[in-house]
């Protein structure tokens, strides 16, 4: 993706909304994917993406050319997702009646998918949701690196600068994060059939009563 | 040619898979892989993971334009009402001069009125917070815990009283002195990792984050009695390390801690069975504070010596638990301890 020109940044700094829209057009899909990777669900991801862009607009004056604008935006994005999750835990009594059986039936996805998908596509979407939830369940350090590298496609150098780590550390953590993710996904797989069995048993017990 | 130890090889794996590793390092890595099953497994997991990303297309997944448009519209609506910040414009400088006296007047009023009316003493720079929770001396520390502390060359923290603070450390000002009624407790130094003898739960908010060296399941003692947190160095203590009280000490400790839970801002109580837990109660906010106090009252009646309580110190609610509430209690797998976990929350596990 092309780096936005300095001119564009200057225009945004001068309050040019059209220029800001242009910047969003460049990166909004990628930022949304990062938010999805960080939060694991569409609704939170949308909120985080929105908050990220508002912060980008507000703090553009503090952006310096030392970092490319999109690594700078990613840094804001990751911090926003982290703060969002903390604050959500702090202030909300969460009541999300969501189980592993209901992957892909979140509000966000219903909004995204107004049309039924062909089976193959639906399977793929379901698999993405599963992976995404796995990523969101990773510890923050591992998640950040995995999302920045494997979802956002940043270079190791950019990630290292972004997270203030040595490149070697980034690579090392990335390889560990990938392995953790695979472990997590396998764990989820092994839990799922058991949960289904248990809920079936509960239901049949309920009927017997 | 430089030789690496095992821990050095994991950083070569991403480049190896991207075919970007220099030939010299490829030789080294492959020679190592031939004799190291663990690194081989790591490589296989990395391969599987990158393949999974490719087949699902998660990195290139098309985001529905309607979603992007919705986000964009909301952002534009929001920023339409504000100007981007600029540095040092004449307008800003003027605004600054105008607002200084107003702000000063407001500050004076804010400070003076409560002082004048209530005659309150001015707070010291390092206010004492009464953590008011003294757990009686624990005389029956497990062998494992004692050995642990001995190996750390630490004084036995269980020989005296020790304090458990379950309030929100995030809200305490820097430098706050935690004062457990001025008695024999181990007050932490703000901004430091607790040393041997300090209770892990009293770590300051600015302590270096708790980093778990390895990812593993719940720690247990060899004798299966549960662990005491020795707190010799919180950075080496797995997040989620439970500490349990010997049953003869449980009742007073349990009750005192339940009192403290009223103030904690995140409390989970789970009923634990093997490696699974059922959420019994969960509180996240002030609105439910009175409700929780009533429940705690009821709970006091039901505690008996057969219950063990384990406390978890963590900040990151694992997503499955994050989705729970008391109406929605269901059976969930216990959170596993994972590398990079950090922060504080309290979780009480009650084995069934």
């Amino acid at each position: 993706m092309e780096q936005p020109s300095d001119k564009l940044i200057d225009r945004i700094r001068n309050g040019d909304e059209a220029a800001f829209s242009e910047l969003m057009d460049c990166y909004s899909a990628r930022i949304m994917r990062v938010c999805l990777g960080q939060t694991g669900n569409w609704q939170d991801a949308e909120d985080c993406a929105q908050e990220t862009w508002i912060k980008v607009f507000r703090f553009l004056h503090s952006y310096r050319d030392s970092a490319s604008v999109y690594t700078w935006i990613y840094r804001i994005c990751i911090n926003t997702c982290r703060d969002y999750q903390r604050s959500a835990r702090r202030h909300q009594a969460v009541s999300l009646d969501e189980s592993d059986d209901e992957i892909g039936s979140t509000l966000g996805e219903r909004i995204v998918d107004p049309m039924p998908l062909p089976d193959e596509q639906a399977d793929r979407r379901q698999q993405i949701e599963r992976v995404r939830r796995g990523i969101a369940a990773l510890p923050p350090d591992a998640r950040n690196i995995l999302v920045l590298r494997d979802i956002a496609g940043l270079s190791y150098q950019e990630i290292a600068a972004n997270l203030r780590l040595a490149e070697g550390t980034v690579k090392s953590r990335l390889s560990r994060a990938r392995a953790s993710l695979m472990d997590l996904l396998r764990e989820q797989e092994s839990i799922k059939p058991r949960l289904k069995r248990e809920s079936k048993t509960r239901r049949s017990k309920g009927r017997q009563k | 040619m430089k030789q690496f130890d095992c821990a050095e090889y994991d950083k070569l794996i991403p480049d190896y898979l991207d075919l970007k590793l220099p030939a010299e390092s490829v030789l080294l890595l492959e020679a190592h892989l031939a004799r190291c099953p663990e690194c081989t497994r790591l490589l296989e997991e990395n391969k599987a993971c990158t393949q999974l990303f490719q087949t699902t297309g998660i990195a290139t997944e098309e985001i529905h334009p309607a979603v992007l448009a919705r986000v964009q519209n909301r952002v534009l609506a929001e920023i339409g009402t504000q100007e981007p910040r600029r540095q040092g414009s004449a307008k800003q400088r003027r605004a600054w001069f105008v607002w200084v006296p107003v702000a000063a007047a407001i500050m004076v009023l804010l400070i003076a009125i409560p002082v004048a009316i209530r005659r309150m003493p001015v707070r010291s720079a390092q206010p004492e917070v009464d953590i008011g929770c003294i757990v009686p001396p624990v005389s029956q520390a497990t062998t494992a815990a004692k050995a642990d502390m001995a190996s750390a060359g630490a004084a036995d923290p269980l020989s005296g009283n020790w304090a458990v603070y379950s309030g929100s450390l995030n809200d305490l000002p820097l430098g706050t002195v935690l004062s457990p009624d001025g008695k024999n407790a181990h007050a932490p130094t703000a901004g430091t990792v607790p040393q041997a003898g300090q209770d892990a739960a009293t770590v300051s908010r600015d302590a270096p984050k708790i980093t778990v060296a390895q990812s593993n399941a719940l720690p247990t003692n060899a004798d299966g009695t549960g662990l005491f947190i020795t707190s010799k160095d919180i950075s080496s203590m797995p997040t989620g390390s439970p500490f349990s009280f010997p049953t003869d000490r449980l009742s007073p400790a349990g009750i005192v801690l339940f009192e403290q839970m009223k103030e904690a801002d995140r409390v989970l109580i789970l009923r634990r069975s093997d490696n699974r837990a059922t959420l019994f109660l969960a509180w996240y906010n002030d609105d439910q504070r009175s409700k929780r106090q009533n429940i705690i009252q009821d709970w006091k009646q039901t505690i008996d010596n057969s219950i063990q309580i384990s406390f978890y110190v963590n900040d990151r609610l694992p997503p499955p638990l994050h989705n729970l509430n008391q109406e929605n209690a269901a059976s969930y797998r216990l959170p596993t301890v994972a590398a990079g976990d950090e922060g504080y929350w309290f979780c009480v596990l009650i084995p069934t």
Side-chain angles (χ1 to χ4, degrees):
Chain A
M1 182 115 0
E2 259 181 49
Q3 169 82 353
S5 66
D6 293 347
K7 216 173 170 185
L8 184 75
I9 305 292
D10 282 343
R11 277 170 57 206
I12 300 168
R13 282 175 174 156
N14 287 323
D16 183 341
E17 258 188 38
F20 187 67
S21 293
E22 241 176 86
L23 185 75
M24 282 181 78
D25 287 341
C26 276
Y27 298 119
S28 59
R30 297 170 88 189
I31 288 297
M32 191 67 193
R33 280 189 213 108
V34 172
C35 292
L36 278 166
Q38 291 282 341
T39 62
N41 74 76
W42 286 89
Q43 211 170 353
D44 289 351
E46 269 192 47
D47 287 349
C48 288
Q50 181 183 333
E51 193 56 35
T52 299
W53 285 111
I54 291 169
K55 282 183 187 166
V56 167
F57 183 78
R58 278 185 195 156
F59 297 111
L60 204 65
H61 71 273
S62 67
Y63 162 68
R64 294 286 173 272
D65 299 333
S66 56
S68 75
V69 76
Y70 72 96
T71 54
W72 178 74
I73 295 173
Y74 281 128
R75 184 153 63 231
I76 292 177
C77 179
I78 281 183
N79 290 340
T80 303
C81 291
R82 185 200 58 207
D83 293 347
Y84 182 89
Q85 284 164 324
R86 281 187 184 164
S87 127
R89 284 198 297 272
R90 202 180 174 85
H91 297 296
Q92 290 169 10
V94 184
S95 173
L96 301 178
D97 197 7
E98 187 184 57
S99 76
D100 281 1
D101 298 350
E102 291 166 333
I103 296 170
S105 65
T106 56
L107 176 66
E109 198 177 359
R110 283 199 294 274
I111 295 166
V112 178
D113 264 341
M115 303 287 286
L117 291 169
D119 279 356
E120 194 186 328
Q121 238 176 312
D123 281 354
R124 199 175 131 254
R125 172 62 55 75
Q126 215 170 37
Q127 214 179 355
I128 289 179
E129 291 299 328
R130 188 175 71 91
V131 175
R132 192 171 280 144
R133 280 149 55 103
I135 295 173
L138 286 171
D141 284 353
R143 189 176 62 227
N144 287 344
I145 287 174
L146 192 98
V147 168
L148 288 181
R149 176 65 195 170
D150 287 342
I151 308 285
L154 262 64
S155 71
Y156 293 114
Q157 200 183 0
E158 286 166 337
I159 298 169
N162 224 318
L163 302 177
R164 297 186 179 89
L165 294 170
E167 267 186 63
T169 311
V170 171
K171 289 176 186 174
S172 164
R173 288 194 191 170
L174 175 69
S175 65
R176 300 274 162 199
R178 285 170 174 169
S180 302
L181 175 64
M182 296 312 285
D183 282 345
L184 260 174
L185 293 177
R186 264 193 298 273
E187 255 173 46
Q188 284 176 0
E189 276 302 293
S190 65
I191 291 167
K192 211 166 132 185
R194 200 163 63 207
L195 275 178
K196 275 183 183 162
R197 264 203 311 279
E198 280 171 7
S199 67
K200 227 180 225 176
T201 319
R202 272 202 300 276
R203 276 201 295 274
S204 62
K205 273 185 186 166
R207 276 200 296 275
Q208 280 164 14
K209 281 177 191 173
Chain B
M1 194 178 287
K2 188 187 169 193
Q3 291 295 324
F4 297 128
D5 65 21
C6 198
E8 290 282 308
Y9 286 99
D10 53 9
K11 68 178 65 160
L12 303 180
I13 286 176
D15 280 345
Y16 180 75
L17 288 178
D18 294 341
L19 305 177
K20 286 181 179 160
L21 198 62
E24 183 187 84
S25 303
V26 169
L27 287 176
L28 269 178
L29 177 62
E30 286 181 348
H32 176 74
L33 289 172
R35 60 177 190 276
C36 179
E38 202 168 312
C39 288
T40 306
R41 183 184 164 269
L42 192 64
L43 176 71
E44 291 307 319
E45 295 286 45
N46 270 257
K47 265 188 204 165
C49 186
T50 47
Q51 202 170 0
L52 182 67
F53 287 157
Q54 271 171 13
T55 51
T56 56
I58 192 169
T60 52
E61 181 199 16
E62 198 185 332
I63 308 289
H64 199 290
V67 173
L68 297 178
R70 187 168 51 230
V71 171
Q72 191 154 350
N73 289 338
R74 282 190 203 148
V75 171
L76 292 175
E78 176 79 19
I79 66 175
T81 59
Q82 53 185 269
E83 288 277 303
R85 291 185 194 172
R86 290 172 205 149
Q87 288 174 307
S89 69
K91 193 177 164 189
Q92 269 186 326
R93 282 196 296 272
R94 275 198 303 277
W96 189 77
F97 282 118
V98 169
W99 284 103
V100 161
V102 178
I106 291 170
M107 286 296 288
V108 167
L109 287 175
L110 281 175
I111 294 167
I113 289 174
V115 170
I117 294 174
R118 296 185 203 166
R119 295 184 181 179
M120 281 177 67
V122 179
R123 294 181 70 181
S124 69
Q126 294 196 338
E128 282 202 347
V129 175
D130 178 12
I131 66 171
C133 171
I134 300 296
V135 179
V138 181
S139 55
Q140 297 177 3
T142 64
T143 315
K146 287 214 180 250
D148 214 355
M149 284 176 283
S151 70
D156 185 352
L158 303 177
S159 60
N161 290 336
W162 42 296
V164 173
Y165 176 72
S166 57
S168 168
L169 294 157
N170 294 331
D171 297 333
L172 300 181
L174 263 181
T176 298
V177 177
L178 296 176
S179 160
D181 283 342
K183 291 183 190 167
N184 181 24
H186 310 279
T189 311
T192 61
V193 170
Q195 298 303 304
Q198 289 177 348
D199 175 17
T202 55
V203 60
S204 134
R205 64 172 183 166
D206 273 15
K209 66 186 174 188
I210 302 165
T211 304
V212 182
Q214 54 181 9
S215 177
N216 55 17
L218 290 171
T220 51
N221 267 348
D223 60 3
T225 53
L227 276 178
F228 283 94
I229 290 181
T230 62
S231 319
K232 56 184 180 186
D233 177 1
I234 202 165
S235 63
S236 66
M237 185 187 74
T239 302
S241 298
F243 56 96
S244 56
F245 302 97
T247 49
D248 63 333
R249 287 289 175 190
L250 177 81
S251 197
I255 287 172
V256 174
L257 287 161
F258 278 176
E259 288 292 338
Q260 288 303 301
M261 273 158 44
K262 292 173 188 171
E263 302 308 318
D265 55 358
R266 278 162 284 173
V267 179
L268 298 176
I269 300 178
L270 300 107
R271 192 155 280 205
R272 176 181 171 187
S273 175
D274 292 323
N275 212 25
R276 294 172 68 76
T278 303
L279 183 89
F280 210 76
L281 299 164
W283 300 294
Y284 295 93
N285 58 26
D286 288 344
D287 300 338
Q288 296 182 23
R289 189 158 285 187
S290 59
K291 195 174 169 187
R292 93 171 68 151
Q293 283 178 5
N294 294 336
I295 296 168
I296 289 167
Q297 287 297 330
D298 292 341
W299 269 48
K300 280 184 187 174
Q301 314 294 323
T302 63
I303 301 172
D304 64 47
N305 285 348
S306 66
I307 300 174
Q308 272 192 327
I309 302 181
S310 303
F311 289 82
Y312 279 67
V313 187
N314 199 328
D315 179 44
R316 192 177 148 266
L317 294 181
L321 295 175
H322 182 54
N323 292 345
L324 291 176
N325 66 19
Q326 64 190 88
E327 283 82 27
N328 195 18
S331 198
Y332 275 85
R333 206 171 163 285
L334 278 182
T336 50
V337 180
D341 276 353
E342 55 182 300
Y344 317 96
W345 54 270
F346 275 75
C347 171
V348 184
L349 289 174
I350 300 180
T352 50

